[in-house]
Amino acid sequence: MSGKKVYLVIKRLLDFILSLIAFIILLIPFAIISICIKIESKGPVLFKQTRVGKHKKNFTIYKFRTMKTDTPKDMPTHMLNNADSYITKVGKFLRKTSLDELPQIINILKGDMSIIGPRPALWNQDDLIAERDKYGANDITPGLTGLAQINGRDELEIPVKAKFDGEYAEKLSFWFDVKIFFKTIFKVFKSDGIVEGRK
């Protein structure tokens, strides 16, 4: 078994253990966020959406709902006209701090996602999926954060984003994941690379 294959086994184990610990620690914050979402607007606490996983197998991703229930579905937020008009006040805070992504801990526990990996594409983002095919980036488990996220996030053009995803797939290793993890924390505090929508 190659070194990369061995690490993939270890990576899955680490993902499960770390996400389980995080889920237990964050139960109270989860409850508080859920209450705030329900107080401000009608609709479910969690937002569910079809995303593309490993080997292009679709799965349901979970996020805290940050937008009104009449928001157009299956469209990247940065592609919406007047995206701010759809985002709730609580949602704006959650998105700025990336707290809306926390329910993806459930996806990590289930094995749909990893902590580190390419961000899962929407099922209808054919251009991004096709670009990732060129670099083998669709053959690894998508992640909560990844190389593209620490290098521009929403600001990146699709070909550039796909190249970063491919670079991650090629360099996949424990220390590379650690580097991306800590750079992500820095980016979250700075709210870098978040584009809410076209005006």
Side-chain angles (χ1 to χ4, degrees):
M1 187 180 287
S2 68
K4 184 174 286 189
K5 286 184 178 179
V6 171
Y7 176 59
L8 286 173
V9 174
I10 297 172
K11 180 179 171 73
R12 173 59 193 144
L13 182 61
L14 287 173
D15 281 337
F16 183 81
I17 293 172
L18 293 175
S19 58
L20 181 60
I21 292 171
F23 184 76
I24 294 169
I25 292 173
L26 294 170
L27 276 175
I28 292 177
F30 270 38
I32 294 171
I33 291 171
S34 299
I35 292 169
C36 291
I37 291 171
K38 291 297 287 186
I39 288 175
E40 183 181 2
S41 64
K42 294 180 179 179
V45 168
L46 293 180
F47 171 71
K48 301 176 184 179
Q49 193 176 55
T50 301
R51 295 290 181 110
V52 179
K54 186 178 181 179
H55 300 313
K56 295 188 279 189
K57 181 180 178 181
N58 289 352
F59 71 96
T60 300
I61 199 172
Y62 303 105
K63 293 186 179 187
F64 280 122
R65 182 174 59 84
T66 61
M67 308 185 87
K68 299 171 185 176
T69 54
D70 62 348
T71 304
K73 297 184 183 298
D74 294 324
M75 180 181 291
T77 307
H78 65 278
M79 294 298 293
L80 288 172
N81 288 309
N82 295 315
D84 285 341
S85 66
Y86 294 106
I87 301 172
T88 63
K89 292 178 182 178
V90 172
K92 189 171 185 179
F93 170 77
L94 293 177
R95 296 171 77 88
K96 185 176 181 180
T97 56
S98 294
L99 289 173
D100 61 314
E101 309 281 1
L102 287 181
Q104 286 161 52
I105 290 173
I106 299 170
N107 290 117
I108 297 171
L109 282 169
K110 290 172 61 181
D112 297 327
M113 293 176 61
S114 179
I115 295 173
I116 311 295
R119 282 296 296 163
L122 281 165
W123 65 271
N124 58 358
Q125 283 185 291
D126 296 329
D127 47 358
L128 176 57
I129 296 167
E131 282 293 318
R132 283 177 169 173
D133 267 337
K134 297 177 182 178
Y135 306 104
N138 290 317
D139 297 327
I140 59 174
T141 305
L144 185 63
T145 185
L147 187 60
Q149 278 57 53
I150 63 172
N151 283 286
R153 197 170 174 174
D154 295 334
E155 295 174 346
L156 297 176
E157 296 291 332
I158 283 174
V160 177
K161 185 180 294 186
K163 281 185 179 180
F164 276 123
D165 294 334
E167 182 181 345
Y168 173 77
E170 183 180 348
K171 295 182 178 179
L172 184 64
S173 70
F174 175 75
W175 290 114
F176 199 35
D177 279 356
V178 170
K179 178 181 177 181
I180 292 171
F181 179 81
F182 283 105
K183 282 196 173 184
T184 296
I185 294 174
F186 177 74
K187 290 284 184 178
V188 167
F189 277 117
K190 290 185 65 180
S191 298
D192 277 356
I194 299 174
V195 179
E196 295 295 12
R198 298 176 300 176
K199 298 297 182 183

